[in-house]
């Protein structure tokens, strides 16, 4: 446009001078001016062509900081604010991403392109959105985000790992790292480069509906479990500066630690409520895992809905900018929670312009809007144009977002390919999940009076009973944040192995398995069962719907325990997102197992019940006697638990038992050794475990 104006000006200049000069001078002047015009036009053409051919931000050989600065210098205010917006896929399409320069799209809990969508379905949807972003003037790719809090949990056929409370019980940070790597591959298999995980809350009250998303009540265990961050993102380079985000290639994803900060310490465990704690307590209990994650190169941090001493975290400049960005030197971007800035006011969204101002000035860089994006864009634009929010705050936010996008290779590989689609729910990942399940189980009791242990169970018992609402229900087994936000009930929503299915495939073909969800006592007494496995617990929930002041077992669980355990030797497996009330039933049970929310691989439970592996899990949470004791955490002056933090009985595998029992006879003659092994095996499996209880 400027080139045309200048050219017309030169034409006018030539004509005006021609009339004032004699014919000879006219000819010379015209030739000179034509040459000037030609040279000028050629120069403009060459400059524009060169500029189009080479832009520093498009050059992967340039340092990321140079690319960020170059791209930022080319962006309009409209383009910058667009980058700060994250919208839900239900309101997204290529045209909207192009028109509003949207920086990110997400799937809210359970939001999928189709029911039981395949990896290919996900990739095709996301690539269509991406094409809209790439068609903008500067071609800045959007980044797609999804909750992947225990595997790729929104996606049909994905591997669902145990929730964090179970992983904390493993005490195995290397295992958690491998789970992060497997999750990253499955997420990338669907074309997604960004996950809202891990949750590094320190749950201090099990009444909180998100307690199962916390690894432990002890911040030290939570810190250890931040090894999931390099699992998801890859190991940071040796020379990396503290706080600089890192994503190591197309099999890794950008991670998001959440929810900053103190979400696990609210009064009575009420979700999104107020954490009343002094600064020292906040920094010593709830902050350390953030520091560790930043050192490990985490890309993003999500702000909590909760408040600290009455101040909403989404508006807390002291902690978001002052501590997270300035003190901890975090260089990635800060994202809000779902409609998180709306909740700065009460009622939510009652003064949205103020909420936008407070959140952006506090230091939030990307806003999970997720629906009313035009309102957010208009309000933020007005705040900047009226100098209420300074331009350097916008530039800081956008620079951070671009830094993550460049670091994760999104500019070089904006479109997903299909090379990883077969990794979704792969057998290798399911084997890893099975390992995690067996390591997460905590054995709380083995023997009615602390003697005569019942475990390991005999695989060759003639007749066994399996009971309880959770024995054959994959949805209950996986818990919330599985396929849908609140989870599901039954076995049709995804692929996996229920505990009943695992028992069936584990015991000897000659063993008769009788399954009754809710058997009455007469039925149990009349059928001469060798033992019973009862699987009961909580129904799925997520966030506030899981808040509970009573922490009771779902019906008919207590009735099933009474009917079964009074009549036959029983193993009780508790499926729950936290400790629940069990003291009233404890004396009647022979074996009590805390299985938490194990996910899709139920065979991890039978691996330890039947002695293929030993129990090794330790409580990552205190198990209370009554809810009246809550909150109660290890180290409290009123600490009087039913089972203390760190408790967990151990068992040996059958192989270990046989090996240990025969080791003393190694020096004997071979035939004597063989007789000893045979005798022990017969006694162990037949006499001790294969009996029938008298009716």
């Amino acid at each position: 446009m400027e080139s045309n104006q200048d050219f017309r000006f030169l034409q006018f200049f030539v004509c005006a001078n021609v009339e004032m000069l004699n014919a000879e001078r006219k000819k010379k002047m015209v030739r000179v001016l034509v040459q000037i015009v030609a040279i000028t036009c050629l120069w403009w053409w060459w400059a524009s062509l060169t500029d189009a051919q080479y832009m520093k931000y498009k050059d992967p050989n340039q340092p990321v900081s140079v690319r960020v600065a170059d791209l930022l210098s080319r962006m309009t205010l409209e383009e910058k604010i667009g980058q700060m917006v994250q919208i839900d896929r239900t309101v997204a399409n290529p045209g909207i991403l192009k028109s509003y320069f949207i920086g990110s799209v997400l799937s809210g809990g359970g939001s999928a392109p189709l029911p039981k969508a395949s990896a290919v379905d996900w990739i095709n949807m996301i690539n269509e959105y991406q094409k809209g972003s790439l068609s903008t003037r500067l071609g800045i790719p959007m980044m797609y985000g999804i909750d992947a809090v225990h595997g790729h949990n929104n996606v049909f056929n994905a591997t669902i790992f145990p929730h964090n409370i179970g992983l904390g019980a493993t005490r195995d940070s290397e295992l958690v790292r491998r789970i992060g790597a497997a999750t990253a591959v499955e997420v990338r298999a669907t074309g997604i480069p960004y996950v809202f995980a891990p949750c590094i809350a320190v749950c201090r009250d099990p009444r909180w509906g998100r307690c199962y998303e916390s690894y432990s009540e002890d911040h030290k265990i939570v810190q250890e479990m931040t090894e999931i961050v390099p699992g998801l993102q890859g190991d940071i380079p040796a020379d990396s500066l503290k706080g600089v985000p890192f994503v190591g290639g197309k099999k890794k994803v950008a991670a998001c630690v959440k929810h900053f900060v103190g979400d696990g310490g609210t009064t009575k465990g009420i979700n999104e409520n107020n954490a009343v704690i002094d600064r020292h307590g906040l920094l010593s209990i709830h902050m350390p895992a953030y520091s560790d994650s930043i050192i490990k190169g985490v890309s993003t941090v999500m702000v909590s809905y909760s408040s600290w001493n009455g101040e909403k975290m989404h508006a807390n400049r002291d902690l978001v900018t002052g501590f997270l960005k300035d003190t901890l030197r975090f260089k990635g971007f800060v994202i809000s929670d779902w409609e998180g800035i709306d909740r700065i006011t009460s009622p939510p969204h009652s003064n949205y312009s103020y909420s936008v101002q407070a959140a952006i000035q506090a230091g939030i860089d990307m806003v999970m809007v997720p629906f009313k994006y035009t309102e957010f864009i208009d309000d933020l634009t007005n705040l900047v144009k009226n100098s209420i929010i300074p331009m350097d705050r916008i530039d800081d936010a956008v620079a951070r977002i671009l830094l993550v996008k460049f670091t994760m290779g999104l500019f070089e590989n904006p479109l997903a390919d299909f090379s990883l689609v077969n990794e979704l729910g792969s057998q290798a990942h399911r084997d890893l999940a099975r390992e995690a399940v067996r390591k997460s189980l905590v054995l709380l009791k083995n023997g009615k009076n602390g003697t005569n242990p019942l475990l390991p169970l005999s695989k060759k018992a003639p007749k066994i009973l399996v009971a309880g609402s959770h024995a054959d229900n994959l949805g209950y087994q996986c818990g919330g944040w599985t396929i849908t936000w609140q989870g599901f009930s039954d076995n049709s929503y995804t692929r996996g192995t229920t505990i009943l299915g695992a028992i069936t495939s584990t015991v000897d073909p000659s063993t008769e398995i009788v399954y009754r969800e809710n058997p009455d006592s007469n039925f149990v007494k009349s059928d001469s069962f060798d033992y019973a496995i009862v699987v009961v617990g909580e129904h799925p929930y997520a966030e506030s719907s899981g808040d509970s002041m009573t922490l009771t077992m779902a019906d008919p669980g207590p009735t099933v325990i009474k009917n079964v355990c009074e009549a036959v030797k029983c193993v009780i497996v508790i499926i729950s997102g936290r400790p629940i009330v069990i003291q009233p039933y404890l004396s009647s049970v022979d074996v009590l197992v805390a299985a938490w929310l194990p996910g899709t691989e139920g065979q991890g439970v039978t691996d330890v019940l039947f002695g293929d592996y030993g129990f090794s899990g330790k409580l990552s949470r205190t198990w209370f006697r009554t809810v009246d004791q809550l909150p109660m955490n290890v180290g409290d002056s009123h600490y009087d638990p039913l089972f203390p933090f760190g408790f967990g009985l151990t068992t040996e595998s059958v192989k270990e038992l046989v090996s240990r029992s025969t080791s003393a006879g190694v020096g004997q003659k071979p035939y004597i050794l063989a007789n000893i092994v045979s005798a022990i095996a017969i006694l162990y499996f037949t006499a001790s475990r294969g009996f029938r209880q008298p009716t």
Side-chain angles (χ1 to χ4, degrees):
M1 188 67 181
E2 291 177 356
S3 300
N4 292 335
Q5 290 174 345
D6 291 338
F7 185 70
R8 287 195 294 271
F9 170 76
L10 289 170
Q11 285 180 315
F12 171 77
F13 182 78
V14 170
C15 294
N17 281 277
V18 164
E19 293 180 3
M20 296 175 60
L21 301 172
N22 58 42
E24 187 61 31
R25 293 179 64 191
K26 283 181 183 179
K27 291 178 183 179
K28 290 181 180 179
M29 184 61 72
V30 167
R31 284 196 297 269
V32 171
L33 291 174
V34 168
Q35 289 174 345
I36 292 173
V37 171
I39 292 170
T40 303
C41 291
L42 183 63
W43 181 85
W44 271 317
W45 173 81
W46 176 83
S48 61
L49 182 63
T50 302
D51 193 46
Q53 288 178 337
Y54 181 75
M55 298 181 181
K56 286 183 180 179
Y57 80 89
K58 291 186 176 182
D59 183 356
N61 295 315
Q62 290 285 347
V64 169
S65 59
V66 172
R67 300 177 76 184
V68 169
D70 179 64
L71 179 52
L72 194 65
S73 70
R74 300 172 187 273
M75 296 173 70
T76 64
L77 176 61
E78 185 181 13
E79 289 167 330
K80 290 175 180 178
I81 288 177
Q83 285 300 300
M84 298 171 68
V85 179
Q86 185 178 68
I87 63 174
D88 188 73
R89 59 159 292 278
T90 56
V91 296
N93 63 53
I96 287 172
L97 268 70
K98 179 180 180 180
S99 299
Y100 293 94
F101 311 103
I102 300 297
S104 184
V105 180
L106 83 152
S107 280
S111 181
L114 295 167
K116 298 186 177 180
S118 68
V120 172
D121 293 327
W122 281 92
I123 289 171
N124 287 336
M125 176 191 72
I126 292 165
N127 281 350
E128 281 302 304
Y129 295 153
Q130 191 67 280
K131 289 172 185 176
S133 294
L134 297 177
S135 66
T136 56
R137 180 178 73 94
L138 296 170
I140 304 173
M142 67 87 188
M143 61 188 297
Y144 199 98
I146 196 166
D147 289 288
V149 297
H150 61 141
H152 200 6
N153 51 265
N154 274 358
V155 177
F156 178 73
N157 268 348
T159 307
I160 306 299
F161 293 92
H163 268 297
N164 287 353
I165 188 172
L167 298 182
T170 70
R171 303 295 200 276
D172 191 339
S173 59
E174 190 274 335
L175 170 69
V176 169
R177 179 191 180 95
R178 287 188 283 138
I179 289 172
T183 300
V185 169
E186 294 209 12
V187 171
R188 281 286 196 173
T190 56
I192 299 172
Y194 178 32
V195 298
F196 308 122
C199 176
I200 55 172
V202 182
C203 176
R204 303 290 286 176
D205 193 323
R207 292 174 290 186
W208 186 35
R210 306 193 78 152
C211 200
Y212 62 76
E213 297 183 57
S214 169
Y215 293 106
S216 179
E217 70 189 43
D218 181 1
H219 71 84
K220 293 178 183 177
I221 291 177
V222 179
Q223 287 177 264
E224 291 172 5
M225 296 304 164
T226 60
E227 274 300 289
I228 196 172
V229 171
L232 290 163
Q233 296 194 156
D235 289 314
I236 60 172
D239 58 350
S240 180
L241 297 175
K242 179 185 176 182
V244 176
F246 176 77
V247 181
K250 294 173 69 175
K251 290 187 177 181
K252 298 296 181 180
V253 294
C256 177
V257 288
K258 62 185 187 181
H259 308 85
F260 187 85
V261 60
D263 52 336
T266 59
T267 302
K268 295 183 178 180
I270 298 171
N271 192 42
E272 304 182 19
N273 208 260
N274 189 30
V276 179
I277 187 171
D278 62 22
R279 189 177 185 90
H280 173 74
L282 185 78
L283 298 186
S284 62
I285 295 173
H286 299 282
M287 193 68 77
Y290 286 95
S291 179
D292 286 15
S293 298
I294 290 165
I295 290 170
K296 293 172 182 178
V298 74
S299 296
T300 71
V301 174
M302 184 182 291
V303 180
S304 177
Y305 287 127
S306 59
S307 303
W308 175 46
N309 294 333
E311 183 177 359
K312 289 283 188 181
M313 285 304 309
H314 274 78
N316 193 316
R317 179 176 172 81
D318 171 45
L319 288 176
V320 176
T321 294
F323 198 86
L324 177 63
K325 292 183 174 180
D326 295 343
T327 301
L328 296 183
R329 293 186 285 176
F330 174 60
K331 303 301 182 186
F333 70 79
V334 177
I335 186 169
S336 81
D337 207 334
W338 177 280
E339 293 182 339
I341 71 169
D342 302 51
R343 305 186 198 188
I344 290 173
T345 59
S346 183
H349 206 84
S350 58
N351 188 347
Y352 193 62
S353 180
Y354 166 75
S355 295
V356 172
Q357 176 186 342
I360 302 303
Q361 289 182 329
I364 294 174
D365 304 308
M366 181 180 284
V367 175
M368 192 183 292
V369 177
F371 303 120
K372 299 178 180 179
Y373 53 91
T374 56
E375 180 183 17
F376 172 80
I377 290 170
D378 290 345
D379 281 354
L380 183 52
T381 301
N382 289 333
L383 288 166
V384 175
K385 288 185 174 179
N386 289 309
S387 300
I388 296 171
I389 293 179
M391 195 64 201
D392 60 2
R393 171 75 271 269
I394 302 299
D395 286 345
D396 172 64
V398 178
R400 289 169 175 272
I401 293 165
L402 295 177
L403 173 63
V404 172
K405 289 186 175 184
F406 280 120
T407 301
M408 64 199 297
L410 202 54
F411 280 78
E412 284 65 61
N413 298 289
L415 296 174
D417 59 40
F418 302 96
S419 61
L420 297 174
V421 293
N422 292 329
E423 295 289 340
L424 185 69
S426 71
Q427 190 57 50
H429 295 163
R430 292 183 183 277
D431 291 343
L432 176 60
R434 182 174 175 175
E435 176 188 349
V437 173
R438 62 178 176 254
K439 288 182 174 179
S440 70
L441 303 185
V442 180
L443 180 59
L444 299 174
K445 184 178 181 181
N446 185 16
K448 188 160 285 186
N449 299 310
T451 59
N452 300 321
L454 183 58
L455 298 181
L457 298 172
S458 169
K459 295 180 181 179
K460 291 189 175 183
K463 189 176 185 180
I464 65 175
L465 172 66
V466 179
S469 55
H470 291 56
D472 191 33
N473 194 309
L474 199 59
Y476 287 0
Q477 195 170 298
C478 292
W481 290 109
T482 310
I483 306 301
T484 69
W485 176 36
Q486 294 292 328
F488 64 92
S489 172
D490 73 35
N491 300 326
S492 61
Y493 285 81
T494 196
R495 181 166 66 93
T497 304
T498 67
I499 294 172
L500 175 62
I503 294 168
T504 303
S505 65
T506 300
V507 299
D508 191 84
S510 65
T511 299
E512 181 184 356
I513 300 171
V514 178
Y515 171 60
R516 291 289 187 278
E517 185 173 325
N518 186 13
D520 61 39
S521 58
N522 291 330
F523 172 82
V524 180
K525 291 175 182 177
S526 64
D527 270 84
S528 301
F529 295 107
D530 294 276
Y531 58 80
I533 299 174
V534 178
V535 191
V536 291
E538 294 185 298
H539 292 161
Y541 54 82
E543 299 193 43
S544 297
S545 66
D547 287 356
S548 172
M549 295 300 110
T550 59
L551 296 177
T552 52
M553 184 185 301
D555 287 329
T559 302
V560 176
I561 292 175
K562 181 177 184 296
N563 290 344
V564 174
C565 294
E566 288 181 355
V568 64
K569 288 185 177 294
C570 65
V571 175
I572 305 299
V573 179
I574 304 292
I575 304 293
S576 68
R578 54 204 165 182
I580 57 176
V581 174
I582 58 170
Q583 189 178 33
Y585 328 115
L586 190 58
S587 62
S588 66
V589 309
D590 294 274
V591 174
L592 182 64
V593 177
W596 315 115
L597 298 169
T600 52
E601 307 313 301
Q603 284 187 298
V605 176
T606 54
D607 280 345
V608 288
L609 289 182
F610 290 93
D612 294 315
Y613 295 84
F615 276 89
S616 60
K618 304 294 181 185
L619 288 179
S620 58
R621 301 207 53 75
T622 298
W623 204 297
F624 58 87
R625 296 179 184 276
T626 69
V627 292
D628 295 335
Q629 296 174 294
L630 300 176
M632 179 177 64
N633 296 282
V634 62
D636 288 350
S637 58
H638 65 290
Y639 198 67
D640 180 29
L642 182 63
F643 298 107
F645 173 87
F647 181 83
L649 301 175
T650 58
T651 61
E652 294 179 287
S653 70
V654 171
K655 289 181 180 179
E656 290 170 327
L657 284 168
V658 172
S659 176
R660 183 167 56 81
S661 298
T662 59
S663 61
V666 169
Q668 302 295 323
K669 292 181 179 180
Y671 73 90
I672 297 175
L673 178 60
N675 288 340
I676 293 172
V677 172
S678 298
I680 290 172
I682 291 169
L683 286 171
Y684 190 81
F685 288 107
T686 304
S688 300
R689 300 295 179 263
F691 59 80
R692 288 182 179 274
Q693 180 168 328
T695 56

